[in-house]
Amino acid sequence: MNVTLTISPAENQPGNYLVVLNGDGSYHSVNKKVGARIRGDDEWFDDTLFSICGTGIERVGGDGSFTLSNTVSANQLNEDWGQDEIYALVSVEGLSGSFKSNPVKGDF
């Protein structure tokens, strides 16, 4: 499964960011629940920042793809001093393990 994370300034919401996860390749998991844990990448341990899931409507589509999104404050993405390195761990119902996204670097 491929998982892509993007983080961009939220439109008309100063100090907030739109966090979007797009995934594909989950053909055997159609209509299964999907969720993500957003983490900050650090040398010694990775910070748990927030989750995107829980409403029950986040599911893998008929083509094996999904999109998860959330608008969060800059404080929720500011995981350490200086440059922040953010990634996501995606879990799909019925599949063991998690799928790691690309890292996104920024000064949040």
Side-chain angles (χ1 to χ4, degrees):
M1 178 185 323
N2 296 317
V3 179
T4 304
L5 173 66
T6 58
I7 301 174
S8 57
E11 191 173 330
N12 299 318
Q13 297 182 38
N16 289 319
Y17 289 85
L18 179 61
V19 178
V20 178
L21 278 159
N22 289 303
D24 62 35
S26 190
Y27 306 107
H28 301 295
S29 299
V30 171
N31 207 33
K32 299 288 186 175
K33 293 179 186 177
V34 62
R37 298 176 311 268
I38 308 301
R39 302 285 171 95
D41 189 17
D42 285 318
E43 184 176 347
W44 305 109
F45 63 92
D46 291 352
D47 300 313
T48 300
L49 302 179
F50 57 91
S51 295
I52 303 176
C53 61
T55 66
I57 62 170
E58 300 91 353
R59 296 191 180 265
V60 176
D63 62 354
S65 69
F66 63 85
T67 298
L68 303 173
S69 65
N70 198 6
T71 300
V72 299
S73 70
N75 290 339
Q76 290 175 275
L77 295 168
N78 186 4
E79 50 98 17
D80 60 15
W81 295 100
Q83 183 93 359
D84 302 302
E85 302 84 16
I86 310 297
Y87 69 93
L89 292 174
V90 173
S91 298
V92 177
E93 179 182 31
L95 298 180
S96 61
S98 298
F99 301 91
K100 189 173 181 179
S101 76
N102 58 298
V104 174
K105 295 181 181 182
D107 189 13
F108 302 106

